[in-house]
């Protein structure tokens, strides 16, 4: 029966957890970059900026377009036209108006409407049918001068590509920072669980020794109860550590994109502190940070906005060449069709707009000045951030050194207490205190080394070297 129970428990555990995933810090970083939504968005923004730059380049080139229009009128256009007639001039042979002349004075006779009166008028009945008229054409347009607007737009597109690249680098750094944080905290809690298990084993060994001494009448029951109280404290610590390990495992799964049920084995399970070169050899420079690059490009973008504001109030010139064909228009029994080539040149010169151009240009200049001041302000803030990160990193190094020193002393103290207790020269409370100090020193060492790793990552991010 017990075999069946054991098999059932193992089967449930196998169903509840996915296969174990070995994960190094490098693996964690790579997976975080691949699955981070913000990083993906920044990559798409880079592609978008490149596409916009390519699109704006076409503004330099001529554009070809085609057009077609069809007309259908249900009713024909009918009207009668009365047109003046012409007669040949006998002296020149040219046609002249057939005007009515006064027989006595020889002057032209003027009608009541104030117009000359003709001897004869021609009657022209006009009927136009638009039941199948159409017009089609091609046109080629080429801007010659736009006040620098096309050039400024292309420069802005180039700056936009660089800004997108800086933003992508920034989001990559943020993703790496989050990955490092999640990984080292998980490793830290895992080390705390190991420590709690080791501490519990020490107390179990001590409990067996004290229990045997109590059974042989060498100590009182009070000694046994003291060890039991400490065992219960450690059990609670172990339970909390295991709960924390589960939460940090799930947080690491979220960052790396793994399923929340994935069991993780961190290959960098022991937090090893190496001599870091960053605090000494690297010369921090805020210009290495993508945030600085973004703000710098914003200043450049504002400069191009000034040119755009001016361009709206400068002369513009262009040329257009086209071909149009008209057909399907019926004049009585005849059909009208005609094709024509046309060439047009246009020039637009702004003359007076009540100072609108001056004010818009002034506004754009002020916006650039604002962006420049923001750059200078944030440069100082970033410099302070770098200095704070450097000091925190230095403090973390000192904390690791002191924690190691305390751990060495706690180990020696525990060894002395164990030896003296076996010889009957040490009390049980003192031994329990030595064990507690050893456990606390180990815990502080884990915290110090974890803090060192986190501060190192923060320092690299502050100087723009977290890549």
């Amino acid at each position: 029966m017990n075999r069946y129970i054991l098999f059932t428990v193992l089967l449930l555990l196998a169903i509840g957890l996915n296969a174990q995933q070995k994960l190094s810090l490098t693996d964690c970083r790579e997976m975080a970059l691949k699955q981070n939504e913000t990083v993906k968005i920044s990559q798409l923004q880079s592609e978008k900026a490149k596409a916009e730059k390519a699109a704006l380049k076409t503004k330099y080139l001529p554009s070809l377009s085609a057009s077609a229009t069809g007309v259908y009128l249900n009713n024909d256009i009918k009207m009668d036209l009365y047109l003046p007639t012409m007669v040949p001039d006998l002296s020149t042979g040219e046609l002249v108006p057939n005007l009515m002349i006064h027989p006595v004075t020889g002057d032209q006779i003027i009608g009541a409407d104030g117009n000359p009166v003709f001897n004869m008028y021609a009657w022209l009945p006009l009927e136009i049918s638009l039941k199948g008229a159409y017009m089609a054409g091609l046109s080629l347009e080429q801007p010659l001068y736009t006040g620098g607007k096309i050039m400024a737009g292309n420069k802005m597109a180039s700056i936009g590509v660089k800004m997108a690249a800086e933003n992508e680098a920034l989001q990559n750094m943020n993703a790496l920072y989050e990955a490092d944080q999640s990984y080292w905290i998980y490793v830290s809690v895992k080390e705390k669980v190991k420590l709690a298990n080791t501490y519990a084993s020490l107390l179990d060994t001590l409990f067996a020794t004290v229990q045997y001494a109590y059974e042989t009448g060498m100590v009182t029951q009070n000694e046994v109860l003291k060890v039991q109280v400490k065992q219960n404290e450690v059990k609670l610590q172990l339970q909390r550590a295991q709960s924390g390990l589960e939460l940090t495992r799930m947080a690491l799964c979220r960052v790396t994109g793994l399923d929340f049920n994935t069991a993780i084995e961190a290959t960098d399970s022991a937090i090893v502190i190496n001599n870091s070169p960053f605090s000494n050899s690297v010369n921090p420079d805020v210009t290495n940070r993508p945030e600085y690059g973004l703000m710098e490009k914003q200043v450049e973008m504002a400069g191009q906005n000034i040119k755009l504001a001016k361009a709206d109030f400068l002369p513009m010139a262009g040329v257009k060449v086209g071909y149009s064909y008209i057909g399907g228009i019926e004049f009585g029994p005849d059909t009208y069709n005609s094709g024509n080539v046309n060439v047009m040149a246009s020039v637009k010169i702004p003359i007076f707009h009540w100072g609108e151009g001056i004010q818009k240009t002034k506004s754009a200049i002020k916006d650039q000045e604002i962006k420049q001041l923001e750059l200078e302000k944030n440069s100082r803030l970033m410099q302070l951030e770098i200095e704070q990160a450097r000091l925190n990193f230095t403090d973390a190094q000192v904390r690791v050194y002191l924690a190691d020193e305390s751990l060495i002393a706690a180990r020696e103290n525990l060894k002395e207490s164990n030896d003296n207790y076996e010889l009957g020269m040490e009390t049980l409370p003192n031994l329990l205190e030595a064990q507690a100090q050893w456990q606390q020193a180990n815990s502080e060492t884990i915290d110090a080394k974890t803090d060192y790793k986190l501060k190192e990552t923060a320092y690299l991010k502050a100087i723009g070297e977290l890549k």
Side-chain angles (χ1 to χ4, degrees):
M1 184 65 180
N2 290 335
R3 292 180 180 178
Y4 289 114
I5 295 175
L6 179 60
F7 176 77
T8 302
V9 171
L10 292 175
L11 181 61
L12 291 174
L13 289 174
I15 295 174
L17 289 177
N18 294 339
Q20 193 173 54
Q21 174 78 39
K22 290 186 177 182
L23 202 62
S24 66
L25 179 62
T26 301
D27 297 332
C28 180
R29 286 182 166 190
E30 291 176 353
M31 295 171 70
L33 288 177
K34 289 180 181 178
Q35 75 86 33
N36 189 281
E37 291 82 1
T38 307
V39 171
K40 291 179 181 178
I41 292 173
S42 67
Q43 292 171 348
L44 293 175
Q45 288 174 337
S46 293
E47 295 175 10
K48 176 186 174 184
K50 291 176 182 177
E52 289 177 349
K53 179 182 178 181
L56 282 172
K57 279 186 177 180
T58 63
K59 297 294 183 181
Y60 288 113
L61 305 175
S63 59
L64 178 66
S65 58
S67 63
T69 304
V71 179
Y72 179 85
L73 294 181
N74 184 45
N75 296 322
D76 294 341
I77 301 173
K78 297 180 179 180
M79 59 188 304
D80 293 334
L81 298 179
Y82 296 92
L83 304 177
T85 58
M86 307 285 285
V87 294
D89 188 339
L90 298 178
S91 61
T92 63
E94 296 180 356
L95 292 176
V96 295
N98 185 14
L99 298 174
M100 184 176 290
I101 305 298
H102 194 282
V104 178
T105 63
D107 296 329
Q108 296 179 7
I109 297 176
I110 304 300
D113 58 359
N115 294 318
V117 178
F118 286 77
N119 285 316
M120 186 179 295
Y121 289 86
W123 172 61
L124 178 64
L126 183 64
E127 182 177 353
I128 302 174
S129 176
L130 297 178
K131 292 182 178 180
Y134 62 89
M135 181 175 65
L138 290 173
S139 63
L140 187 69
E141 297 181 64
Q142 173 65 58
L144 300 178
Y145 180 69
T146 60
K149 182 177 290 187
I150 295 179
M151 184 178 295
N154 275 271
K155 287 184 179 179
M156 291 178 74
S158 298
I159 296 172
V161 171
K162 295 177 182 178
M163 290 180 69
E166 294 286 1
N167 181 60
E168 187 175 348
L170 175 61
Q171 301 309 326
N172 285 343
M173 281 197 356
N174 290 336
L176 292 176
Y177 180 78
E178 185 180 16
D180 281 24
Q181 293 271 323
S182 299
Y183 188 86
W184 288 121
I185 291 175
Y186 173 74
V187 171
S188 171
V189 177
K190 189 175 182 181
E191 294 293 321
K192 291 287 187 71
V193 171
K194 289 181 181 179
L195 175 61
N197 282 316
T198 304
Y199 190 20
S201 298
L202 287 177
L203 288 173
D204 290 343
T205 302
L206 179 60
F207 177 77
T209 301
V210 174
Q211 180 69 22
Y212 177 77
Y214 168 69
E215 291 173 355
T216 57
M218 297 178 62
V219 297
T220 64
Q221 188 180 11
N222 186 41
E223 300 288 289
V224 178
L225 295 176
K226 288 179 181 178
V227 179
Q228 286 180 329
V229 170
K230 186 60 69 174
Q231 281 181 312
N232 290 333
E233 291 179 3
V234 174
K235 287 179 182 178
L236 180 59
Q237 292 177 8
L238 180 58
Q239 176 60 37
R240 289 175 176 172
Q242 289 173 338
S243 298
L245 182 63
E246 181 65 12
L247 289 175
T248 55
R249 181 192 64 80
M250 294 180 70
L252 188 56
C253 287
R254 182 193 67 80
V255 170
T256 55
L258 294 172
D259 187 90
F260 281 125
N261 292 324
T262 304
I264 295 178
E265 178 187 351
T267 56
D268 300 321
S269 56
I271 304 176
V272 180
I273 302 301
N274 300 318
N275 292 327
S276 177
F278 301 111
S279 59
N280 299 320
S281 63
V282 173
N283 183 24
D285 186 0
V286 295
T287 60
N288 292 329
R289 292 182 56 158
E291 298 97 320
Y292 182 90
L294 276 171
M295 290 186 292
E296 193 175 39
K297 299 299 181 295
Q298 287 176 352
V299 175
E300 294 180 22
M301 190 74 79
Q304 296 303 318
N305 272 327
I306 296 174
K307 295 180 180 180
L308 280 180
K310 292 180 178 179
D312 286 335
F313 300 91
L314 292 175
M316 295 186 183
V319 64
K320 179 179 179 181
V321 179
Y323 175 82
S324 60
Y325 186 85
I326 301 175
I329 303 177
E330 296 180 359
F331 289 93
D334 298 324
T335 301
Y336 175 77
N337 298 292
S338 177
N340 293 285
V341 175
N342 56 79
V343 179
M344 292 185 291
S346 64
V347 177
K348 179 183 177 182
I349 303 176
I351 297 177
F352 183 67
H353 292 273
W354 300 97
E356 180 186 1
I358 296 175
Q359 298 306 321
K360 283 189 173 181
T361 303
K362 184 183 294 185
S363 174
I365 291 173
K366 296 304 176 184
D367 183 62
Q368 185 187 36
E369 292 176 357
I370 291 171
K371 294 291 192 296
Q372 182 64 41
L373 289 174
E374 288 177 348
L375 173 62
E376 295 173 2
K377 170 190 171 183
N378 287 290
S379 295
R380 295 189 182 95
L381 291 175
M382 285 189 286
Q383 193 65 49
L384 287 175
E385 186 180 346
I386 290 175
E387 183 62 19
Q388 182 181 13
R390 186 188 68 81
L391 292 175
N392 290 339
F393 185 38
T394 302
D395 291 344
Q397 290 176 312
V398 175
R399 183 183 177 187
V400 170
Y401 172 77
L402 294 177
D404 285 338
E405 291 292 317
S406 297
L407 181 58
I408 293 173
R411 287 172 179 169
E412 184 64 27
N413 181 52
L414 179 58
K415 182 178 181 302
E416 291 289 332
S417 292
N418 276 324
D419 294 342
N420 291 335
Y421 184 76
E422 291 177 0
L423 296 174
M425 299 173 59
E426 183 71 279
T427 64
L428 180 62
N430 286 343
L431 177 57
L432 291 174
E433 178 65 23
Q435 288 181 341
Q437 290 176 353
W438 171 85
Q439 188 267 350
Q440 181 63 34
N442 271 285
S443 179
E444 173 59 27
T445 300
I446 294 172
D447 288 341
K449 290 182 177 181
T450 304
D451 185 60
Y452 175 91
K453 289 295 187 181
L454 298 180
K455 293 299 189 297
E456 181 181 42
T457 299
Y459 180 65
L460 289 173
K461 182 175 182 290
I463 64 176
E465 293 294 331
L466 184 59
K467 302 176 181 177

